[in-house]
């Protein structure tokens, strides 16, 4: 028989989200406040959809589609200053390219956590207005 555990430790995964405010300032300078807000809102909606799609592709074993979706996350994230999210999406594509399923599962979980937190932070900024 196996051992009985009396104590379980829950590891709290709490990572700081990195948003590049300089990128937002650049968007406002290029597009004006209203234009920047439109771009950011559309990007946030697309990021949410792509995160969900990436996770669904992983569940369904559609690695090629997952890789394309993660690559699009990089481009969209960089456009609005979500460097941390872009970095982790790149890590996901590297795991796919190496064929490392265990690292992919862990890195995808990290992508989803950071993606959720990044979206929340950016929506909070949007609520304060650019």
């Amino acid at each position: 028989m196996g051992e009985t555990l009396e104590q379980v430790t829950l590891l709290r995964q709490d990572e700081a989200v990195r948003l590049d405010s300089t990128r937002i300032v650049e968007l406002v300078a290029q597009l004006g406040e209203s234009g920047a807000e439109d771009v950011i809102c559309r990007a946030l909606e697309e990021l949410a959809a792509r995160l969900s799609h990436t996770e669904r592709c992983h569940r369904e074993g559609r690695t090629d589609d997952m890789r394309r979706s993660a690559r699009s996350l990089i481009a969209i994230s960089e456009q609005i200053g979500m460097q941390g999210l872009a970095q982790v999406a790149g890590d996901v594509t590297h795991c796919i390219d190496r064929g490392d399923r265990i690292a992919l599962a862990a890195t995808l979980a990290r992508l989803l956590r950071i993606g959720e937190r990044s979206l929340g932070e950016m929506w909070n900024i949007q609520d304060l207005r650019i």
Side-chain angles (χ1 to χ4, degrees), residues 98-117:
R98 286 192 319 262
D100 189 337
R101 295 179 346 163
I102 294 170
L104 176 59
T107 307
L108 176 63
R110 183 172 181 232
L111 176 69
L112 297 174
R113 280 192 313 273
I114 289 176
E116 182 178 319
R117 291 195 61 198

Side-chain angles (χ1 to χ4, degrees), residues 4-75:
T4 302
L5 297 178
E6 293 185 24
Q7 186 176 13
V8 175
T9 302
L10 177 62
L11 298 177
R12 187 165 185 234
Q13 297 173 340
D14 190 21
E15 244 179 297
V17 175
R18 294 181 290 168
L19 299 177
D20 181 5
S21 59
T22 330
R23 184 64 191 126
I24 301 211
V25 170
E26 289 172 357
L27 283 172
V28 172
Q30 291 171 356
L31 307 171
E33 190 172 314
S34 178
E37 189 172 345
D38 287 346
V39 165
I40 291 168
C41 286
R42 280 189 311 236
L44 293 175
E45 290 170 3
E46 188 62 26
L47 283 172
R50 288 287 167 190
L51 284 165
S52 175
H53 181 72
T54 303
E55 192 273 331
R56 185 172 49 255
C57 288
H58 182 257
R59 262 194 342 261
E60 295 171 356
R62 295 184 297 136
T63 308
D64 290 340
D65 290 339
M66 182 182 180
R67 187 180 192 289
R68 276 190 291 279
S69 188
R71 294 288 303 159
S72 69
L73 282 169
I74 296 168

Side-chain angles (χ1 to χ4, degrees), residues 118-129:
S118 295
L119 289 171
E121 287 294 317
M122 191 61 92
W123 280 118
N124 289 340
I125 290 171
Q126 283 292 104
D127 289 344
L128 297 174
R129 293 285 175 222

